[in-house]
Amino acid sequence: MTEMMEQQSTAFAVCVLCGVIIGFLISCFYALKKVIKMHGAWIGIFDLTFWLALCAMVILVMFYYNSGEIRLYIFLGFFSGAGVYFATINWVVSRLLDYILYGIKMGLRKVILKAKMLVDIICSVSYTHL
């Protein structure tokens, strides 16, 4: 009996941790969506891909730690972990991710503009020699 309780408590703890990770991934997802600014069907494709990946993660955790048995405490673990994440550190992580991703976006924009200038210079030099 104690071995079964140990397995179930381990599965619950892993699900709580997995819920925190899911909360973090959701924060990353929304910060990335804010920076990329997608339009049209790409938003739906991006959302669908993200949520399917999260569903696959939940299923894999259930099969690995709970032998594929669907129990209420498993879902309570996922939701309580995500709830703890969103209630505690979500605001810090969201601001930090916004800052980091905006910096990366600005850095990439500078690199792309320099590369474009270099291509323009190379094309104008080779065009004048023809």
Side-chain angles (χ1 to χ4, degrees):
M1 180 79 169
T2 59
E3 183 179 326
M4 188 168 88
M5 290 295 291
E6 181 180 332
Q7 187 260 343
Q8 289 178 353
S9 62
T10 302
F12 179 75
V14 167
C15 288
V16 170
L17 178 63
C18 199
V20 171
I21 292 169
I22 286 172
F24 175 73
L25 291 175
I26 290 171
S27 294
C28 292
F29 174 71
Y30 284 119
L32 188 62
K33 269 178 69 171
K34 234 187 323 187
V35 170
I36 293 177
K37 296 181 184 172
M38 291 180 276
H39 302 287
W42 288 107
I43 295 171
I45 292 170
F46 195 57
D47 284 347
L48 182 66
T49 305
F50 175 74
W51 289 107
L52 285 176
L54 282 184
C55 287
M57 183 176 116
V58 167
I59 290 169
L60 287 174
V61 167
M62 277 187 0
F63 273 105
Y64 187 75
Y65 285 101
N66 203 34
S67 304
E69 293 180 12
I70 299 174
R71 303 279 184 185
L72 179 62
Y73 68 88
I74 296 294
F75 291 107
L76 290 175
F78 284 122
F79 289 124
S80 63
V84 165
Y85 171 81
F86 284 114
T88 56
I89 62 171
N90 178 46
W91 65 275
V92 174
V93 172
S94 293
R95 287 193 175 102
L96 188 62
L97 284 171
D98 286 344
Y99 179 75
I100 291 170
L101 290 175
Y102 182 75
I104 290 172
K105 181 181 177 181
M106 291 298 113
L108 284 174
R109 182 174 284 167
K110 287 180 184 178
V111 168
I112 290 170
L113 288 175
K114 296 288 183 185
K116 184 180 181 291
M117 286 178 21
L118 181 64
V119 168
D120 289 343
I121 292 170
I122 291 172
C123 289
S124 67
V125 169
S126 62
Y127 182 69
T128 58
H129 288 356
L130 292 176

